[in-house]
Amino acid sequence: MSFTADKPNMRNRILLPLFLLALGTPLLPAAHEMDENSITVVLHEKHHVSLLMRLDFTHLLQSHLAPASSEEEFLLAAAIADVGSLTPAYTQLQSIIEREFVIASRGTPLALSRWVWPSISVVHTAVRQQLAAQLVADEQLALASALEVRAEASDILPIEQLSLTLPDVLMPATILWYQPRQMFLLGDHNSTTLEF
């Protein structure tokens, strides 16, 4: 697998770790440690929506770049690849998600804005972290490799219901939604009860 035009060099960089793995390191677990992406939708004051997505970029990049390869093959190749060779695919993946993620109120799509993405160097570090986690079978380390993406939307009219359409690349996904409640405490009251 290659991300750049320099196939012989990349092949050598991939074959050496594979050879070392075959000599004495246990095989990478086949099961994926993070079963799905998660999306949290929060409605603030009936007009503003914030999205927080925790995404497994190793899986996203694999399904985008090399869907026919095994997770182990892609993880090794991506971990030893240079950041620059992953950048075009990462930029394209961002574009797909921003274009195909639809959140609508009363049937009208809301414009998602203020997207905040991790840098490609942070994504590359997470890929390497996931490889290390699988080599030592550390589930906590694998879960820590999920990264956050944020976006916002708003509507002039009060939002009573939202519909979501997720890009195929994000599936499967767990969705959590809620509307936080708030209260202002006056200077002469320093305690309150919070009901759930």
Side-chain angles (χ1 to χ4, degrees):
M1 178 182 320
S2 175
F3 302 117
T4 65
D6 188 9
K7 290 183 182 179
N9 185 28
M10 179 61 78
R11 186 178 301 118
N12 291 339
R13 290 171 55 192
I14 292 172
L15 290 178
L16 178 60
L18 287 174
F19 178 71
L20 292 173
L21 279 172
L23 283 179
T25 307
L27 292 175
L28 296 175
H32 201 266
E33 297 296 346
M34 184 177 167
D35 292 332
E36 68 270 333
N37 297 305
S38 68
I39 299 160
T40 302
V41 180
V42 183
L43 176 61
H44 302 277
E45 299 176 0
K46 290 285 190 185
H47 294 276
H48 184 78
V49 176
S50 62
L51 294 178
L52 171 63
M53 295 178 262
R54 287 190 47 81
L55 305 179
D56 176 357
F57 280 101
T58 301
H59 181 71
L60 292 176
L61 285 168
Q62 178 193 353
S63 63
H64 181 64
L65 275 175
S69 70
S70 72
E71 179 184 347
E72 293 80 12
E73 290 172 335
F74 180 79
L75 192 56
L76 284 168
I80 62 176
D82 62 284
V83 172
S85 64
L86 293 173
T87 301
Y90 182 56
T91 302
Q92 190 176 40
L93 186 63
Q94 289 173 323
S95 177
I96 290 168
I97 292 173
E98 289 184 14
R99 182 179 64 248
E100 295 181 7
F101 195 113
V102 179
I103 186 167
S105 177
R106 293 174 310 283
T108 303
L110 303 177
L112 284 165
S113 62
R114 296 182 147 180
W115 287 89
V116 178
W117 292 88
S119 68
I120 185 60
S121 60
V122 170
V123 171
H124 190 244
T125 299
V127 169
R128 289 180 170 192
Q129 183 177 353
Q130 190 163 345
L131 175 62
Q134 289 196 5
L135 287 172
V136 297
D138 186 336
E139 186 175 336
Q140 289 302 106
L141 188 59
L143 291 174
S145 65
L147 299 174
E148 293 184 354
V149 174
R150 296 176 182 270
E152 299 177 6
S154 59
D155 196 351
I156 296 172
L157 299 174
I159 297 171
E160 297 174 357
Q161 184 180 36
L162 291 169
S163 62
L164 291 181
T165 304
L166 303 183
D168 289 340
V169 72
L170 291 183
M171 301 306 291
T174 298
I175 302 173
L176 169 69
W177 68 98
Y178 64 93
Q179 181 176 6
R181 292 183 278 181
Q182 67 182 19
M183 173 189 300
F184 180 72
L185 293 179
L186 298 173
D188 56 346
H189 291 87
N190 66 350
S191 67
T192 188
T193 301
L194 304 179
E195 297 180 5
F196 296 95

